Amino acid sequence: MVTIGRLANIKHILQKELFDISDERLISVCTVTKTYKKKKACYLCLSISASVTSSSPKTVVFSQVKPTEKDSEYKRKHSWQLDEIKLVDGKDENFETHEFDIQIDKLYKYYAINLHERQNFLGVLYRQINKSVRGEKAVFKNIPAAWLSEKGSPEKSIVKNFKALTEKEVNELNKLVNECDFAIKDAELFIEQLGKKLHDLDGANIQSVLASEKQVFSLVEEIEKAVGEVERFESRLDSYDDILNHVKESMEKVGSKNAMIEIANNNNTKLLNELNGVICQLDLPSSAQQALSDPDLKTVNGRQAAINAGKALQQAMNSDIDPALLRLTAVQDQRKRFEKWKLKFSSTISRYVNNLFIHLGNDIGEGNSQSQSHELILQSHSNVHKELAAYMELMHWTKAMDRKTYDGLTKVYTSSLSKIYERDIKAFFNNVSILFCIKIICW
């Protein structure tokens, strides 16, 4: 009896025991029996010469191989060249069809044990005939077009979908074959028993499903609960996502606000520094304000305080301030105060110095006694100049800050002191005349 291992590896066995001897490579195998005849299975093989030279080109051979009576050896019963094949009839394009015919020297009818082997074998046979046969080629009919195309190659699909049997499956299959010793001899009975067992298994599966209906319902409920939890979880994630987006937008706004706040702080700092500078420039101490409002020009300390206050006012009024800041109301108000203090201070200085000039214009001078003795000496007015020297800085301030008042004081000074010098010169020449007359008389 042929074991399941030999059935599963029949291609390898045939290659090793039969085709290696003739230096051929087995490219396709199909396990078949004669249609309507209960005989041992045989194998339809397609082989190609392994060594190709110019003297012996590549040849493809179609063979029918049968096992010997002891099933330990294999031999070729028939061999044909591909150009000897006249017709290949698949009987029906339905995949479930097992039968197919091959017309060579006569019509051979076969029944394929395995449908996938049938599909693969017919596809390979078609492609090899198209490649190898130069003259008239065999006719293929009642075969799906997809089997005959390179793209839909059964070999590729079988290899792609191939999955090796597990050890448990191999043991079960061996057990099944051992129970059905007749499988090789009577494939139809074997298939019938397999179908019956499959039917029994389907019934058992249905009963198992019906028996576990409660568990199925419970499982469905659990699945529905899980789906509900997933939906709630997704909704919560969506809410978290919305919150994160809101936080992101808020952070972006905070970032932009922080940038604006920083800019505003920098601007405020610069503005504060600028205002502090303006305030320092326009600030006038209260002592200076008092000295400007009510100056004491009679005493030395009072005059010095007035001079210092005048210089502070002059510096404040001549300070370099940005024209834009000059439009500030506070700056304008302060400058108006400065103008009032200037006018009042200038008026006080003008009135006091004017009276001083008039008073000094009436001074008779230090040489009055000598003039009475008819000596030719001009009177000295150093006391006048000494007294006026104390007001020199105030006059400089008036010249810089109030030119009109300064010009008026200059005229008063000139007119007042010119009287003194005119009087002194007149007295001098009178003395000259008197002395001249005395000398003439004495002479």
Side-chain angles (χ1 to χ4, degrees), residues 298-352:
K298 295 179 180 180
T299 63
V300 176
N301 293 334
R303 284 195 299 270
Q304 188 61 43
I307 291 170
N308 294 335
K311 289 181 178 180
L313 178 62
Q314 181 180 1
Q315 183 179 359
M317 294 187 70
N318 294 332
S319 58
D320 185 16
I321 299 176
D322 190 277
L325 296 177
L326 293 176
R327 294 197 295 268
L328 294 175
T329 303
V331 175
Q332 293 178 358
D333 293 342
Q334 185 70 357
R335 290 176 69 85
K336 288 178 181 179
R337 294 190 192 96
F338 289 164
E339 192 66 27
K340 290 180 180 179
W341 285 329
K342 184 193 78 170
L343 293 176
K344 189 172 183 179
F345 187 60
S346 177
S347 176
T348 303
I349 293 174
S350 175
R351 185 172 56 254
Y352 183 84

Side-chain angles (χ1 to χ4, degrees), residues 60-266:
V60 182
V61 179
F62 170 52
S63 306
Q64 181 179 337
V65 178
K66 296 186 66 175
T68 60
E69 294 181 358
K70 296 181 180 180
D71 292 340
S72 59
E73 296 180 357
Y74 299 90
K75 65 178 181 178
R76 295 190 190 188
K77 184 178 180 181
H78 299 288
S79 293
W80 300 278
Q81 298 294 325
L82 294 185
D83 55 3
E84 297 181 50
I85 300 174
K86 308 300 181 185
L87 173 67
V88 178
D89 186 1
K91 294 296 184 180
D92 194 342
E93 292 189 5
N94 187 3
F95 177 76
E96 301 296 332
T97 303
H98 289 263
E99 297 85 0
F100 65 96
D101 298 341
I102 298 179
Q103 177 74 44
I104 306 178
D105 52 351
K106 65 177 183 177
L107 185 63
Y108 293 90
K109 296 180 178 290
Y110 298 108
Y111 181 93
I113 302 298
N114 187 287
L115 293 175
H116 287 288
E117 285 186 356
R118 173 178 176 269
Q119 176 185 352
N120 178 58
F121 181 81
L122 294 178
V124 173
L125 178 61
Y126 174 80
R127 287 189 293 277
Q128 292 300 327
I129 288 176
N130 283 339
K131 290 180 181 179
S132 303
V133 177
R134 299 297 181 184
E136 186 178 356
K137 300 177 182 179
V139 177
F140 285 76
K141 66 179 183 178
N142 298 322
I143 299 174
W147 295 8
L148 306 180
S149 64
E150 290 288 342
K151 188 174 182 181
S153 173
E155 289 176 299
K156 295 181 180 178
S157 62
I158 291 172
V159 171
K160 183 177 180 181
N161 297 325
F162 174 76
K163 184 177 180 182
L165 295 175
T166 63
E167 184 178 355
K168 182 179 179 181
E169 290 173 339
V170 171
N171 293 333
E172 292 292 335
L173 192 56
N174 278 324
K175 181 179 178 182
L176 178 62
V177 173
N178 290 331
E179 291 177 356
C180 303
D181 189 23
F182 55 85
I184 303 302
K185 300 177 181 179
D186 194 345
E188 292 182 355
L189 181 59
F190 180 60
I191 292 171
E192 183 180 353
Q193 286 199 5
L194 288 178
K196 184 178 180 181
K197 288 188 176 183
L198 181 61
H199 178 72
D200 294 339
L201 289 174
D202 289 339
N205 287 335
I206 293 173
Q207 291 179 359
S208 176
V209 170
L210 293 176
S212 60
E213 184 176 2
K214 293 182 179 180
Q215 289 83 351
V216 171
F217 287 151
S218 176
L219 179 61
V220 170
E221 290 179 358
E222 293 296 330
I223 292 174
E224 290 177 351
K225 290 180 181 179
V227 171
E229 290 295 330
V230 170
E231 291 177 351
R232 284 193 293 272
F233 184 70
E234 288 181 350
S235 63
R236 184 173 296 179
L237 288 179
D238 291 338
S239 64
Y240 289 159
D241 187 54
D242 294 338
I243 293 172
L244 289 176
N245 289 332
H246 179 69
V247 171
K248 179 182 177 182
E249 293 176 357
S250 300
M251 292 301 295
E252 290 176 353
K253 291 180 180 179
V254 169
S256 61
K257 287 183 179 179
N258 288 338
M260 296 302 295
I261 290 173
E262 185 176 357
I263 293 173
N265 289 337
N266 293 334

